[in-house]
């Protein structure tokens, strides 16, 4: 089956720094989604990417759909304390919509 | 803003008992999903549902699991005889449509989850 690797596993950064994380897949996806999850809550959609090469921003978040359709990255600029949480990438490879999730990147922001 | 809702937020049950987890997807959405997340692990796909039938299911979704859309708003996940390893957060999700290149139809929105604890 498809292997989806997300890195890094965790990041400890100071407030104001930028954060970057990425996901790579063994197979192509037609959609990449990035979610944030706070403890005990459901994943919240941050950004959706639909085309190879697409670069999309949502406030301080920027994500790109890799040209090969096998990878995606998420950048958070000028981090703030509320950016703390676990960020998941998710790829969709078929039209029924099954999402395959990465293992998550835990972001910790210190003042 | 429309959102996916789930009840109960926490369910505790004895091993071997049946549980039903309930979800109300976003009203104009056509595709419905169940995922689970074991504590500290990633989110795993269980099943997708469209046009009143299962469209895809994972290996996890065995004969002990079933889904139903009993009316125009609810979407349920039933586990017939729970096992200890069924303890997890269960998330319902929905999306509007199927297009592979038409945002926002492929965006899946998740509910807050039901924490299932099997004793």
């Amino acid at each position: 089956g498809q292997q989806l690797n997300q890195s890094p596993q965790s990041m400890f950064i100071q407030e104001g720094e930028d954060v970057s994380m990425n996901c790579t897949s063994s197979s192509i996806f037609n959609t990449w989604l990035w979610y944030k999850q706070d403890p005990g809550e459901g994943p919240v959609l941050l950004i959706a990417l639909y085309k190879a090469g697409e670069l999309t921003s949502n406030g301080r978040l920027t994500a790109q759909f890799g040209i090969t359709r096998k990878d995606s990255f998420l950048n958070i600029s000028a981090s703030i304390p509320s950016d703390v949480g676990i960020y998941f990438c998710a790829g969709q490879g078929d039209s029924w919509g099954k999402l395959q999730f990465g293992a998550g990147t835990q972001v910790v922001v210190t003042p | 803003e429309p959102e996916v809702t789930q009840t109960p937020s926490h369910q505790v049950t004895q091993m071997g008992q049946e549980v039903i987890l309930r979800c109300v997807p976003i009203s104009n959405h056509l595709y419905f999903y169940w995922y689970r997340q074991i504590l500290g692990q990633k989110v795993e796909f269980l099943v997708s549902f469209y046009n009143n039938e299962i469209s895809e299911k994972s290996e996890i979704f065995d004969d002990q699991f079933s889904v139903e859309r009993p009316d125009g708003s609810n979407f349920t996940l039933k586990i017939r005889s729970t096992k200890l390893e069924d303890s997890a957060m269960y998330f319902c999700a929905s999306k509007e449509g199927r297009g592979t290149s038409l945002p926002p139809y492929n965006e899946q929105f998740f509910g807050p989850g039901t924490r299932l604890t099997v004793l």
Side-chain angles (χ1 to χ4, degrees):
Chain A
Q2 281 179 324
Q3 297 293 319
L4 201 162
N5 297 307
Q6 183 172 352
S7 63
Q9 186 176 16
S10 60
M11 300 189 71
F12 294 81
I13 59 172
Q14 285 197 318
E15 186 175 354
E17 289 183 339
D18 296 346
V19 176
S20 184
M21 63 195 79
N22 70 84
C23 283
T24 58
S25 170
S26 58
S27 304
I28 62 174
F29 286 124
N30 57 42
T31 304
W32 281 98
L33 304 169
W34 285 91
Y35 290 88
K36 179 176 185 262
Q37 186 178 30
D38 292 327
E41 299 184 10
V44 174
L45 182 64
L46 300 174
I47 288 180
L49 301 158
Y50 292 88
K51 297 179 182 178
E54 178 182 357
L55 185 71
T56 297
S57 293
N58 178 8
R60 292 179 296 104
L61 307 177
T62 302
Q64 184 160 30
F65 193 143
I67 291 291
T68 64
R69 296 171 63 191
K70 292 183 179 182
D71 63 302
S72 177
F73 73 74
L74 175 71
N75 285 341
I76 306 171
S77 63
S79 59
I80 58 178
S82 61
D83 290 335
V84 166
I86 302 178
Y87 292 79
F88 290 97
C89 64
Q92 177 182 303
D94 64 43
S95 56
W96 293 116
K98 175 182 74 176
L99 292 181
Q100 184 170 352
F101 279 78
T105 295
Q106 181 165 25
V107 173
V108 177
V109 181
T110 56
Chain B
E1 185 172 327
E3 58 183 18
V4 178
T5 59
Q6 291 185 242
T7 54
S9 57
H10 194 178
Q11 174 92 47
V12 181
T13 190
Q14 295 288 328
M15 189 170 56
Q17 295 296 304
E18 174 183 287
V19 295
I20 297 176
L21 310 182
R22 291 182 167 79
C23 167
V24 179
I26 295 173
S27 62
N28 64 330
H29 285 191
L30 302 177
Y31 293 79
F32 314 114
Y33 307 87
W34 283 100
Y35 294 82
R36 80 171 186 189
Q37 185 179 34
I38 295 171
L39 186 63
Q41 299 186 20
K42 64 182 177 181
V43 177
E44 300 174 289
F45 168 79
L46 292 178
V47 65
S48 59
F49 192 85
Y50 170 74
N51 199 26
N52 284 319
E53 60 183 25
I54 291 174
S55 48
E56 193 171 6
K57 60 184 180 180
S58 72
E59 294 178 351
I60 303 168
F61 195 89
D62 61 22
D63 292 345
Q64 293 300 309
F65 290 86
S66 63
V67 289
E68 192 178 30
R69 187 155 165 84
D71 52 43
S73 60
N74 291 284
F75 180 51
T76 62
L77 174 69
K78 181 193 290 185
I79 309 175
R80 290 187 184 81
S81 178
T82 50
K83 304 187 286 288
L84 295 175
E85 54 265 37
D86 292 329
S87 295
M89 283 287 284
Y90 287 80
F91 295 108
C92 173
S94 69
K95 75 169 184 176
E96 186 171 350
R98 180 172 175 171
T100 59
S101 60
L102 298 173
Y105 305 126
N106 252 1
E107 295 174 0
Q108 280 187 43
F109 296 90
F110 282 72
T114 294
R115 180 173 298 282
L116 177 64
T117 302
V118 182
L119 303 177

